[in-house]
Amino acid sequence: MIRHPLIVLAALFALALPAAAAAAGPSEVPRNSLDPRVKLKDGDRYLRDLSAQLEIPREEICKELLQYDCFRDAFRIVLGGVDAADLGVNEPLEQEALTAPIALDRVALRVCVTRVERDLADPKHAVLLRGAGPKGTSPSPAWVKRTVQGLYDRILARDATPAETAQLMGFYQKVSASASPADTKVKDWVTLGCFAVASSVENVFY
Amino acid sequence: MYSGSAKERGRLSWTPGAAFAALLFGLLGAFAPHEAAAMPQAAAAFCSVYPEAKACASGAAPCAMCHTTPPQRNAYGTSLAARIAPGQPRPLAVDVFLSGLRDALKLTEQDDADGDGFSNISEIFAGTFPGEAASFPVSLTCKPGEARQASQQRWNVCAYDPIYAFKKVSLDVCGRSATRAELSTFQGLASNRKRWEPALSAQLDRCLSTHYWLGKEGAVWNIANAKIRPSHTVKAGQNPGPVPLADYEDDFNLFTWANIGDHDVREELLAQYYVKRVSDDPVKLAIMTEAEVKAVSRRASQNVPQERRVGLITTRWNGAINTMFTAVPRTTAAQAYRAFLGYDIAKMQGISSVPHEPIDFDAKGVQAPQCAACHATLDPLTYPFTRYNGIGRYNYEAGRLQNFVRSDGKRVTEAPENGILLGHKVKDLMEWGQVAANSDPFAQKVVGDYWKVLIGRDPETHAQDQAEYTKLWQGLKSPDAYNYRVEKMLHGLILTQAYGRP
């Protein structure tokens, strides 16, 4: 289950976002589309992508109450799917459901928690949280930066921009200022860094 | 360009006669709908004044030109109605109405009925609706300075962006994001159209064979949902429901077959065979032999003889959920009209009244004026379905209507097997299928279904889409272009500006 401190940190991270975004500067603000028609990457494709990106088998990547597949059984219609035979929903909802962001955040966090738990359980095959240094010590800035790059590389298939890197590194500073043990801080930061990138507009829409 | 929700409007804009009820009911009909219904020249009269208008591409204006929900008029319809033969007692005679309409159209050209800042006439020629404020012309063209700026941005919103299209093809058709390696390779080609176009096409081909696209509950399967309307409760065959009547998987398999590879998509309405799913991952489909068809258990058997089969409209499933126990199965015909030709009669789409109809062979009261407006179209296109049994026998039976004398009256046996579809006389359901499959609305519907999946909106929503959409559906029909091959058409679709401009 998601632990309370993680939620607090998530809120902290959200607060940090506007400032970091502003730091990106006007030169990085793209011109608006003349014909905006951004589409939601529905839950099926969203989890399929995360499964490949984070190396978790699709059937294991996200289980509500540890038993129901997050898309097929839990949030199918909310996350843009259809269920013609049982529910009579022949086409995706014309407009995304009000609860879609909640469901999506929940799925993203569940996936990232799963990934980090697996990394801790099997450090030799860790995907995100690896090589952080001896237990109980704080990782180096180089490791933090490398991890940020790894998140963007895996999830968004591109390099993080300097602004994005600074944003997540700055977030690490905030997390590391907490009173938690060093290992917990690292774990929480990687989990939420993963969550931030996995739930970003860029990863959810196309 | 045009903005606003125009699903129904767009359909109607291609419907000869669909506008009749509009201009009839609205301009006269609010007072006397049945008298208005006797004047089908109104929509054509609009187009005789504005033959170059986009809404008149098929010869008749759409309902939405003057109406919200007929007979309710929109702002433009209201404005026109007030100017048609002012002072004359209502309802107007047909000739008075028609001459008055011409004058009223001219008189209101420079007005802005919906107050969106564009004159009625500019909207009519831009392909937007002068009576709807949310519909107005907008430009999708970048100024030179903007185009230069956009070309240096991460997303070039002023031109087709092959990298953007590549990413979309991967997600839309493969069901996954492109990998970094794939993107890197493709980016190396993106400056040279001669190199990126074949690479994009190759990516589409790879994706078209994926389980995501072809598999059970995959993308193609889901396009068929609204046509087949599966319900697990009455499913027979594998994984049956509690009341097994028929197996909709036969229908999905045939639909998928017609939409993939080098198959003719018209087989949706022409096939006289069934298709089996040999395996689902990898997807492998095959036409069933007649021996295999006959060997299917009685609970899911296909009973219509081969020579009487008409693709998806004579399957057991179609009979079970649409025809059921009805003598004159209007629901079956209306669903076929909606699913394969894009006309939803319940929304006054595809109305093309046949003189002297409806006759009401089954004594359902459809001659009442408020019913006849639709049933004058619906009933003649339903008659060819009357020889196909629904729940029970699921077969073709020339004397079928004899079974309904007790419930529907003696006259029900007089209902003919011939009918009228899209203005064409058809002698039976096989001809119905031929006329439908070869029609423009069928090609428009096929392309429109994929357009919506890949581009994310209906093609008619944007007036500047029209040229690309029209080229695609006309290409689908052309032996020299896509020749009714969906996959070939998709190669064209992903090269449209609508798809590839961020």
Side-chain angles (χ1 to χ4, degrees), chain A residues 37 39-40 42 45 90-92 206, chain B residues 168 171-173 212-213 218-224 445-459 490 493 499:
Chain A
R37 59 194 183 290
K39 296 196 294 181
L40 175 72
D42 60 51
R45 287 175 289 179
N90 292 328
E91 295 176 347
Y206 70 103
Chain B
K168 281 181 69 175
L171 270 162
D172 286 330
V173 190
Y212 175 82
W213 188 253
V220 174
W221 177 293
N222 285 336
I223 287 172
K445 176 68 173 150
V446 170
V447 173
D449 284 343
Y450 285 94
W451 182 287
K452 187 164 186 187
V453 169
L454 296 189
I455 293 172
R457 61 156 185 262
D458 286 309
L490 291 176
L493 195 155
Y499 189 72

Side-chain angles (χ1 to χ4, degrees), chain B residues 353-419:
Chain B
S353 300
V354 175
H356 314 301
E357 290 284 355
I359 296 172
D360 200 13
F361 293 106
D362 53 348
K364 293 291 184 286
V366 294
Q367 286 182 325
Q370 62 270 37
C371 304
C374 292
H375 282 272
T377 300
L378 176 58
D379 286 23
L381 70 87
T382 301
Y383 300 146
F385 288 86
T386 55
R387 271 57 176 180
Y388 289 82
N389 279 306
I391 293 173
R393 299 176 190 175
Y394 302 108
N395 61 357
Y396 175 85
E397 188 181 349
R400 173 176 179 263
L401 293 174
Q402 293 288 350
N403 305 323
F404 293 89
V405 171
R406 280 184 66 183
S407 57
D408 296 79
K410 276 186 183 173
R411 210 180 168 201
V412 73
T413 59
E414 295 172 26
E417 185 168 7
N418 57 50

Side-chain angles (χ1 to χ4, degrees), chain A residues 60-74:
Chain A
E60 301 167 22
I61 193 166
C62 185
K63 298 275 189 190
E64 267 296 328
L65 305 177
L66 301 177
Q67 52 183 325
Y68 302 110
D69 184 83
C70 290
F71 176 69
R72 282 192 293 269
D73 304 325

Side-chain angles (χ1 to χ4, degrees), chain B residues 415-435:
Chain B
E417 185 168 7
N418 57 50
I420 296 180
L421 172 67
L422 301 173
H424 296 273
K425 287 183 180 172
V426 293
K427 70 173 182 184
D428 55 24
L429 198 57
M430 266 96 73
E431 274 195 14
W432 195 107
Q434 290 281 353
V435 168

Side-chain angles (χ1 to χ4, degrees), chain A residues 27 29-35 37 39 41-42 44-45 48-49 53 76 82 84-86 90-91 94 153 157-159 202 206, chain B residues 140 142 146 153-154 157 171-172 175-177 180 212 217 222 225 230-232 248 452-455 457 462 497-499 501-502:
Chain A
S27 65
V29 177
R31 189 193 187 289
N32 290 340
S33 173
L34 298 163
D35 179 21
R37 59 194 183 290
K39 296 196 294 181
K41 191 197 285 182
D42 60 51
D44 182 25
R45 287 175 289 179
R48 188 190 293 252
D49 271 358
Q53 292 153 354
R76 189 177 183 131
V82 299
D86 289 316
N90 292 328
E91 295 176 347
E94 283 286 335
D153 176 44
R158 66 172 176 84
D159 292 338
E202 184 176 342
Y206 70 103
Chain B
L140 284 186
C142 291
E146 291 175 332
Q153 298 286 345
R154 188 164 149 219
V157 296
L171 270 162
D172 286 330
R176 61 166 179 82
S177 293
R180 187 150 191 179
Y212 175 82
E217 301 188 31
N222 285 336
N225 280 338
S231 171
H232 183 253
Y248 54 71
K452 187 164 186 187
V453 169
L454 296 189
I455 293 172
R457 61 156 185 262
H462 243 287
Q497 291 287 316
Y499 189 72
R501 181 173 50 194

